[in-house]
Amino acid sequence: MKRRNLALVTLLLVIAAITLVFAGASSGRTKASTPFKVAWIYVGPHNDGGWSQAHDNGRLYVQKMLGSKVQTTYKENIAVGSQFNQTVASLAAQGYQMIFATSYGYITPAIAAKYPTIKFEQATGTLVSKNVSEYFGRAEDTIFLSGMAAGYASQTGKLGDVLAFPIPEVIRHANAFTLGAQYAHPGATVRVVWTHSWFNPAAEKKAAQGLVAAGVDVLGQNVDSPATGQYAESQSLPWVGYDSDASKFAPKSWLTGSVYNWGLYYLKRVKEAMAGTWKPGFYYGTINDGFTKLAPYGPGVTAADKAKIAAVEKKMENGTFYEFQGPLYDQSGKLRVAKGVKMQVLTGGTNSLYGMNWLVKGVIGSPKG
Amino acid sequence: MNNALLVVLVASGVAYGTPLLFAALGELLAERSGVLNLGVEGMMLVGAVMGFWTVQRVHANTGLTLALAVLVAALAGTTMAAIHAFLVITLRANQIVSGLALTIFAGAAGLSSYLGNDLNVADQPASHSFHALLPSGMQSLPVVGPILFAQNILVYVSWLCVIAVGLYLSRSRPGLNVRAVGESPAAADTMGINVTAYRYAHTLAGGAFAGVAGATITLAITPQWVNGITGGAGWIAIALVIFAFWRPELCLVGAYFFGALQALAPQLQARNINLGPTVLWTNSLPYVMTVLVLVVVSSGTARRRLGAPSALGTAYVREEH
Amino acid sequence: MRISVEQRLRRPRWLIVAVPIGSVVFAFLVAALVLLATGHNPVSTYHQLFDAAFLQQGSLDQTLIVATPLAFMGLAAAAAFRMKLYNIGAEGQMYLGGIFGAAAGLYLGGRGGPSPFVIAAMVVAGCFGGFLWALIPGILRAFFKTNEILTSLLLNYVAGLLLTYLIFESESYWRQTKGFNASVFPTGKPLPHSAIWPGWTLHVQGGTTIPLGAFFAVLTAIVLWVLYKRTRFGFEAQVLGDSPRAARYAGVRMRRKIVAVMGISGAIAGLGGVSQIGDFSHALDGDPNGIQKIGYGYTGIVVAALGRYNPFAVVVIAFLLGGLENAGNTLQGPSFPAGLVGVIQGIILFSALGGELLTRHRVRITRTRKQLPAAPARAPEPAS
């Protein structure tokens, strides 16, 4: 009897102690005059070596440039949907004033309306409203250039591309890669395999193996892990990456890759928000404003090729060259974009960059996945 | 010749099936002693991250470092298995729930993620990794080249393990004892076999194999670490044991079959061959096939002839009088 | 020295409550050690956890958003596990429930406020979807003796692929095709207004909404409890779980029971799936980075195990664990370890599992007598 009472009392005391600890410290801590709080939300891990990591590098850049004037944080592996909303709720409760959401589908009109004082910025989306701004950029330009490097490196003119999902963003990038390869190596073809995942090293390696077995001699990708490159290295084949400089994964195979430099945009917008001059809009970055560029070349790119690529890049910068300018044919040979017509970002239905759902001539594979 | 679809598929099957084989052999040992361990995925993930970490931190020659990494991975897997073993053998907890708890604890949202991030091993290529062992001359021999001679040492070690486990179970005294333990622990106990010790030993061995399976992925197949890199292989391994009628040599066949199945869709896509009406069909194929295989294998007659250890999944309580 | 485990003769009532609580306390202590070992302050971490889960502005709201699906998943698991049918497929059954329920909502819904008729149809459709998906492992187990753990698990992957296919890889009924945004990135067709589930707003923490699904979850718990404790069906199912042989002798129709129990479990998971759509996402979510990333179905199993398959305990624990998940999202970041939530969950589960033993048995450590040197070689008697 006595022992049981003692145990009960002890248990109650423990519970009471724990409750006191939690209730003791108040949740409404007074905050000293605060640095500007801005948060990033990633769909994958911050160190994935790909998409999310590129954004995190941008965040670190902002932190570095603005020092104690800002307080930055990130949330990783946040699912689209209610998990995102929860994360925003908790960030709001902690006083964050600006949130960069790095994936389409994160920001809904409802969540934006619920927190009218928070400035939302979303990557790759289309929603623009009073407190929501969109940002992305012309990766297709640098992907075209990286495709050129791939085309030059190919002996047979048969290239391969490892792709994620058959959505316009990826299709556009695959088309840019193909057009670039064909510019460098006329008549080149690009075989594509869809992994149905943004980040899946095993699936990407299998895709790469399939492509090589089918006869390609250069590999490219629009997915986030360097597995394709590791496989290319093991087969001594050239490789073009995406998202970030992943040359360390395949030092001999690495040619180059299209890289995002989110930091410059982030710095600009954070400064604007801090100064009160922030306005929502649709930002589509270019090579000129530093949004995208080519990663440093690997050993397999000749000086002559570098010069040719640089020449085209210069023309892109001064507006005399645009890869998505007609005539453009689809896989069946039909003329989709008339000669001289430039594809726009948002307007033009399936002939717009954001609406493109067809693959250009020379791509072997289905745009439906 | 060596790029023909069939050759490529079989070669892929061997390569991608090796982690499945290791994990299945381990689970087979545990199940033979009567312990069901559903935590294979978690154990593989922990083995994967610890093996990778070893390779990144140890600065010795390649062979030594890799050997050490495999050892560390095995130890990591064993440690995870020890938790499960303690819970289900000594504390007689429900084996199913304990295994699932282990998967949650050690899995992609748990310990392996924690370790990977805290130990800072993301976004780096492996400093050393397993490459093909035999000279390229042998690798380019027709058919047998890519399938047999282009593999890394872990594949060859796995073959030795299959033989070893097979001989152990069928020819050695302890091997026959463990089969008795799995069939009827009470009878084994009266024969003087220490049921508890056998169950512990084999569950821990299962963990070691699972750890090595994880290391195969981060050190041989895709030499990098990302969270959740096993991608469900642990579950396929558990299914594999059933598919193989708890026999090591059939584990090998099954592992390579599943490995090839996983490589099928990308290979067909690359050749622009349309396998099914939709991409959904092609992607679901490995899982649907596994289910079908399980149904066939588990159906009445087959099961009775070459069946599971009868005491699989039940705790053993020695009656005290 | 030997650890011997003896069955208790009496089961003190206080133990049944004390042990789970004790397990949780023990788990937090162990996790605290882990935190210390990796350089984090346990007290402040736990304080932040609690704060983020229940105290902060808006936290209850967010906790309920997680707790609702967790409750359904927990109830689904409890319904089956209690009968020793290990339905790991709640995740996939939830997706199918969402698919069927969203179809009903899209088809029947229209303008105006939430319509009881439409919502009822969605509930029925959602339950049906989950029920169907659970029938597969159920029938395979009942008629072909195939292990339901593996079949239900593998079907989760197939269900996920189906969900992604409907939105990402096809122009299905569920996919939004109108408007420019739709062609940019695949999204689900939004539910019409009368198909959106209402909530009940409390004036707590600046406005906390209790979603309709939460009420349904509590209702489901009650129905489940009545079913298993007060009906013949429940009694027979319980016998089936405890002793299949006794059940067979008693004339229980094994195969039908197995299918029925799996079906019920699936239906509950399906209800959870349609609640996700009706309460929260308001469209079918096929994004592989959406609901498929979270894993409610698997966490639900943890909830069920902690609640010892008692429906009411499951709902309470779903709420608590929902708070933990919510807090985990809040806390994670550069300074907080990723994966900690899973570690704590696992430790809690381990502790609960281990503690389970203590309610039924007593653990004693005894010293054995030294063995006599010239013991004859024969079968030893059971040691004392």
Side-chain angles (χ1 to χ4, degrees), chain C residues 143-230:
Chain C
F143 292 89
F144 298 96
K145 301 213 191 63
T146 317
N147 184 319
E148 74 280 6
I149 299 175
L150 291 169
T151 48
S152 61
L153 174 84
L154 291 167
L155 286 173
N156 283 347
Y157 288 104
V158 178
L161 289 170
L162 175 62
L163 200 55
T164 306
Y165 174 77
L166 288 178
I167 305 291
F168 263 54
E169 291 156 0
S170 69
E171 306 269 319
S172 72
Y173 179 66
W174 291 263
R175 180 162 172 184
Q176 172 72 296
T177 46
K178 288 205 206 90
F180 177 68
N181 290 344
S183 57
V184 172
F185 203 89
T187 37
K189 212 180 279 175
L191 284 180
H193 289 285
S194 65
I196 295 185
W197 292 19
W200 184 41
T201 311
L202 291 176
H203 290 290
V204 169
Q205 280 188 4
T208 299
T209 308
I210 304 186
L212 184 61
F215 289 111
F216 282 155
V218 173
L219 210 64
T220 309
I222 297 174
V223 168
L224 202 61
W225 185 84
V226 166
L227 184 69
Y228 278 142
K229 277 276 195 285
R230 294 272 182 267

Side-chain angles (χ1 to χ4, degrees), chain A residues 46-49 53 76-77 191-194 196 199 201-202 205-207 209-214 225-227 230 248-249 364-366 368-369, chain B residues 3 8 12 15-16 116-117 120 122-126 131 220-227 229 259 262-263 265-267 269-272 279 283:
Chain A
H46 75 284
N47 48 13
D48 65 357
Q53 177 143 359
E76 58 184 2
N77 291 318
R191 272 183 195 276
V192 301
V193 173
W194 306 93
H196 300 282
F199 189 97
K205 179 176 173 178
K206 289 174 194 153
Q209 280 179 309
L211 289 168
V212 171
S225 97
Q230 287 181 312
K248 64 189 175 198
F249 285 92
I364 304 173
S366 163
K368 296 220 190 301
Chain B
N3 275 338
V8 173
S12 296
Y16 292 110
N117 280 295
N120 244 326
D123 187 36
Q124 330 162 352
H131 297 293
I221 296 184
T222 45
Q224 53 178 293
W225 179 83
V226 300
N227 196 19
I229 193 167
Q262 288 171 2
Q267 289 288 345
Q269 259 200 70
R271 287 154 208 262
N272 218 9
V279 68
N283 287 339

Side-chain angles (χ1 to χ4, degrees), chain A residues 16 37 177:
Chain A
K37 289 174 131 176
F177 181 77

Side-chain angles (χ1 to χ4, degrees), chain B residues 39-251:
Chain B
V40 182
E41 180 80 355
M43 298 191 294
M44 283 176 73
L45 281 169
V46 174
V49 68
M50 293 313 289
F52 188 81
W53 173 77
T54 308
V55 143
Q56 301 299 80
R57 295 288 182 269
V58 170
H59 299 293
N61 71 59
T62 299
L64 200 61
T65 313
L66 286 172
L68 189 61
V70 172
L71 190 63
V72 169
L75 278 175
T78 308
T79 313
M80 293 298 106
I83 303 174
H84 179 68
F86 178 66
L87 280 171
V88 306
I89 300 174
T90 306
L91 298 186
R92 279 180 244 139
N94 180 309
Q95 296 189 6
I96 313 269
V97 181
S98 174
L100 288 174
L102 185 60
T103 305
I104 292 177
F105 171 73
L111 187 65
S112 64
S113 160
Y114 190 92
L115 287 171
N117 280 295
D118 248 38
L119 297 172
N120 244 326
V121 288
D123 187 36
Q124 330 162 352
S127 312
H128 310 273
S129 59
F130 288 98
H131 297 293
L133 189 65
L134 298 170
S136 56
M138 290 184 78
Q139 289 181 42
S140 28
L141 289 173
V143 182
V144 289
I147 295 177
L148 296 178
F149 300 142
Q151 308 291 355
N152 62 65
I153 194 173
L154 286 174
V155 175
Y156 304 132
V157 167
S158 72
W159 296 349
L160 293 174
C161 288
V162 171
I163 299 174
V165 171
L167 288 174
Y168 170 73
L169 287 173
S170 58
R171 298 284 164 86
S172 75
R173 175 104 294 226
L176 292 169
N177 284 350
V178 71
R179 290 165 69 178
V181 168
E183 293 297 331
S184 170
D189 193 12
T190 52
M191 278 166 36
I193 301 172
N194 187 334
V195 173
T196 307
Y198 269 88
R199 284 191 158 180
Y200 260 102
H202 288 78
T203 309
L204 294 178
F209 272 101
V212 172
T216 308
I217 297 181
T218 48
L219 296 177
I221 296 184
T222 45
Q224 53 178 293
W225 179 83
V226 300
N227 196 19
I229 193 167
T230 53
W235 299 106
I236 306 279
I238 298 174
L240 201 47
V241 174
I242 302 178
F243 171 77
F245 295 106
W246 287 267
R247 286 177 19 180
E249 63 277 11
L250 291 182
C251 277

Side-chain angles (χ1 to χ4, degrees), chain C residues 10 42-43 60 68 147 151 155 162 196 272-273 302 322 368 373:
Chain C
R10 270 178 312 129
V43 176
L60 276 181
T68 306
N147 184 319
T151 48
L155 286 173
L162 175 62
I196 295 185
V302 177
T368 51

Side-chain angles (χ1 to χ4, degrees), chain C residues 11 194 234 267 370 384:
Chain C
R11 258 173 69 170
S194 65
K370 279 235 173 73
S384 56

Side-chain angles (χ1 to χ4, degrees), chain A residues 75-76 80 86 126 168 196, chain C residues 66 169 181 183 289 330 332:
Chain A
K75 302 285 182 190
E76 58 184 2
V80 172
Q86 267 164 27
T126 51
H196 300 282
Chain C
V66 182
E169 291 156 0
N181 290 344
S183 57
N289 282 332
T330 301
Q332 65 114 312

